[in-house]
Amino acid sequence: GAGVSQSPRYKVAKRGQDVALRCDPISGHVSLFWYQQALGQGPEFLTYFQNEAQLDKSGLPSDRFFAERPEGSVSTLKIQRTQQEDSAVYLCASSLQGWTEAFFGQGTRLTVV
Amino acid sequence: GIQVEQSPPDLILQEGANSTLRCNFSDSVNNLQWFHQNPWGQLINLFYIPSGTKQNGRLSATTVATERYSLLYISSSQTTDSGVYFCAVHNDMRFGAGTRLTVKP
């Protein structure tokens, strides 16, 4: 596609509910990144894929967070048993290859109530 | 990991004024990128600038990798320039805390 597309744009989840956030990267982009942005803060790195391989997941805050990219294109970030501190904007970015110029989607705003 | 510091944290300008935003980083970087986050939260690419100087309209950027800093220049600021400006270094795509710019009419 023309840009990175994320869905849904907004998600309200009850505490304890599981959520799945989707990212469609720019066509042909090999690398894909997930970030978490809390209100008033800069984006914080969560995880990085090259094709279908998850090369770095050091930023995932707990084992409730899981990301996958099974066919090397679309990626899903799953959060299990959501908690209030998970409320944030989740941003996805893609790049042609590795740590080169990255382009971001519009993000998914998750609110856990 | 690498530390990224941006200054100033907040900046208020009158429309038409010029400004310089700074990004310092604690170690050698492979690449560096500047973004503008608009009031709707969208991160917009401004410059991909591992070194040297680039210009795009009223904006320009300079990265001096050997001295571990990058500068973003905004000239003749407009109200639409308001938002948060981030630099991100590409060793691990680590972001600074940003500079919040408010341009008043």
Side-chain angles (χ1 to χ4, degrees):
Chain A
V4 178
S5 178
Q6 292 187 244
S7 61
R9 289 291 315 280
Y10 304 92
K11 176 70 179 177
V12 178
K14 291 185 178 178
R15 196 182 317 179
Q17 193 175 3
D18 296 350
V19 298
L21 312 180
R22 177 187 169 104
C23 174
D24 278 274
I26 293 172
S27 178
H29 278 196
V30 167
S31 299
L32 185 145
F33 310 84
W34 282 100
Y35 286 80
Q36 180 190 59
Q37 186 174 23
L39 192 63
Q41 306 293 319
E44 294 284 343
F45 171 78
L46 294 177
T47 188
Y48 159 54
F49 289 87
Q50 183 143 312
N51 294 307
E52 69 278 3
Q54 189 173 19
L55 299 186
D56 187 343
K57 54 181 181 179
S58 62
L60 295 176
S62 78
D63 57 8
R64 296 186 296 105
F65 286 71
F66 172 75
E68 59 183 6
R69 195 185 184 198
E71 297 179 359
S73 55
V74 171
S75 177
T76 304
L77 176 67
K78 298 179 179 178
I79 309 173
Q80 298 177 322
R81 305 182 303 281
T82 52
Q83 300 177 5
Q84 276 197 316
E85 61 261 32
D86 300 335
S87 296
V89 175
Y90 291 86
L91 295 162
C92 175
S94 70
S95 71
L96 271 174
Q97 180 76 34
W99 304 108
T100 57
E101 186 174 16
F103 297 86
F104 279 81
Q106 291 182 300
T108 294
R109 181 177 298 276
L110 173 65
T111 303
V112 181
V113 297
Chain B
I2 195 167
Q3 303 300 312
V4 182
E5 293 183 357
Q6 290 188 243
S7 59
D10 293 280
L11 185 59
I12 300 174
L13 298 176
Q14 207 65 37
E15 197 169 29
N18 303 329
S19 62
T20 302
L21 282 57
R22 188 175 181 102
C23 174
N24 291 337
F25 37 94
S26 60
D27 204 345
S28 301
V29 298
N30 298 329
N31 295 298
L32 185 143
Q33 209 166 337
W34 282 96
F35 296 91
H36 174 215
Q37 190 164 43
N38 64 22
W40 295 271
Q42 175 72 52
L43 277 166
I44 299 165
N45 288 31
L46 297 178
F47 295 101
Y48 173 66
I49 185 165
S51 63
T53 297
K54 291 186 177 180
Q55 180 155 7
N56 184 3
R58 297 181 296 104
L59 273 58
S60 64
T62 296
T63 295
V64 184
T66 53
E67 297 188 19
R68 302 180 184 171
Y69 72 89
S70 183
L71 301 174
L72 177 69
Y73 305 96
I74 305 174
S75 65
S76 303
S77 58
Q78 301 176 358
T79 56
T80 51
D81 295 332
S82 295
V84 184
Y85 290 79
F86 290 105
C87 67
V89 297
H90 280 241
N91 292 37
D92 57 1
M93 271 295 272
R94 185 176 295 270
F95 279 72
T99 292
R100 181 173 298 278
L101 174 65
T102 303
V103 181
K104 295 189 171 182

